[in-house]
Amino acid sequence: GTRIICDRKFLLECKNSPVARTPPCCLPQTPAVTSLAQSSLVKLEELKEQNESEEAMPDQDQFEMDI
């Protein structure tokens, strides 16, 4: 057999290529494996809204202290 040898730089460049970021065209649709389930999408949207609302709030002390 023939060995294919790739250096580290080439492999790191392949990680960022557009082809590596797209799923195969003939991949079966399996909920929660190849595609997010509807409940997961709802949870993701809720988390995004929560993070946005937390970012909008000014910094406050974690605990109130009586001095």
Side-chain angles (χ1 to χ4, degrees):
T2 307
R3 281 192 160 175
I4 299 173
I5 300 174
C6 301
D7 63 343
R8 183 177 186 272
K9 180 182 175 187
F10 174 75
L11 293 174
L12 288 173
E13 289 173 359
C14 288
K15 178 180 80 168
N16 296 327
S17 75
V19 175
R21 296 178 181 264
T22 58
C25 63
C26 58
L27 196 63
Q29 295 296 323
T30 308
V33 176
T34 57
S35 62
L36 292 175
Q38 288 293 344
S39 61
S40 297
L41 291 174
V42 171
K43 288 180 184 177
L44 283 174
E45 289 177 9
E46 289 176 358
L47 286 173
K48 285 181 184 177
E49 290 174 2
Q50 182 181 6
N51 286 340
E52 289 173 357
S53 65
E54 287 177 359
E55 290 175 359
M57 293 176 61
D59 292 336
Q60 295 179 355
D61 294 334
Q62 185 174 4
F63 300 102
E64 290 184 19
M65 295 182 64
D66 294 332
I67 298 179

